[in-house]
């Protein structure tokens, strides 16, 4: 089973060929190819660890679409002072299908 640990922004994700991953919003259009650097590559019993990246290994994917994550509620209050604030946030995501590792 071949997989790689790739880096997208400040996140590190496990990528396998054919998998669909949600990464932070990318500026590419739907259908565009994107490349991510590989930090680790595993192919069965052979494991290659980069310092910090594995040389000449990239993870290539196709942008499937853009979406919003679930809503997160942030609630602040101070007891006995009538201070209450509610704030919401929805993170932007890009769905990427992994085409090739290598």
């Amino acid at each position: 089973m071949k997989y790689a640990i790739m880096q997208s922004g400040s996140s590190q994700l496990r990528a396998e060929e054919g998998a669909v991953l949600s990464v932070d919003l990318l500026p590419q259009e739907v259908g565009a190819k994107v490349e991510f650097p590989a930090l680790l590559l595993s192919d069965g019993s052979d494991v290659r660890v980069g310092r910090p990246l594995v040389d000449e290994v990239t993870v290539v994917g196709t942008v499937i679409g853009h979406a919003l994550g679930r809503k997160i509620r942030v609630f602040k209050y101070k007891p006995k002072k009538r201070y209450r604030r509610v704030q919401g946030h929805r993170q932007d995501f890009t769905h990427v299908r992994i085409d090739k590792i290598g």
Side-chain angles (χ1 to χ4, degrees):
M1 182 164 120
K2 186 175 184 178
Y3 71 90
I5 303 296
M6 65 174 218
Q7 183 170 4
S8 173
S10 62
S11 301
Q12 297 177 0
L13 302 164
R14 179 183 168 139
E16 298 176 8
E17 290 185 3
V20 176
L21 301 176
S22 295
V23 298
D24 287 337
L25 186 67
L26 298 174
Q28 282 80 9
E29 296 292 325
V30 175
K33 298 282 186 184
V34 291
E35 290 187 3
F36 301 100
L39 304 172
L40 180 139
L41 178 66
S42 174
D43 190 10
S45 62
D46 182 34
V47 177
R48 293 172 48 194
V49 179
R51 294 183 181 166
L53 302 174
V54 180
D55 295 331
E56 301 177 6
V57 176
T58 59
V59 178
V60 180
T62 304
V63 175
I64 298 174
H66 304 286
L68 288 173
R70 66 180 191 89
K71 187 155 192 170
I72 297 174
R73 302 291 232 148
V74 179
F75 181 69
K76 302 190 299 187
Y77 83 103
K78 295 184 181 176
K80 301 179 213 153
K81 300 294 179 191
R82 292 187 186 180
Y83 175 82
R84 288 162 176 78
R85 299 289 182 265
V86 178
Q87 182 179 6
H89 175 75
R90 290 186 76 180
Q91 185 69 35
D92 293 316
F93 288 105
T94 298
H95 296 294
V96 177
R97 182 180 59 242
I98 304 301
D99 298 327
K100 186 175 82 166
I101 297 173

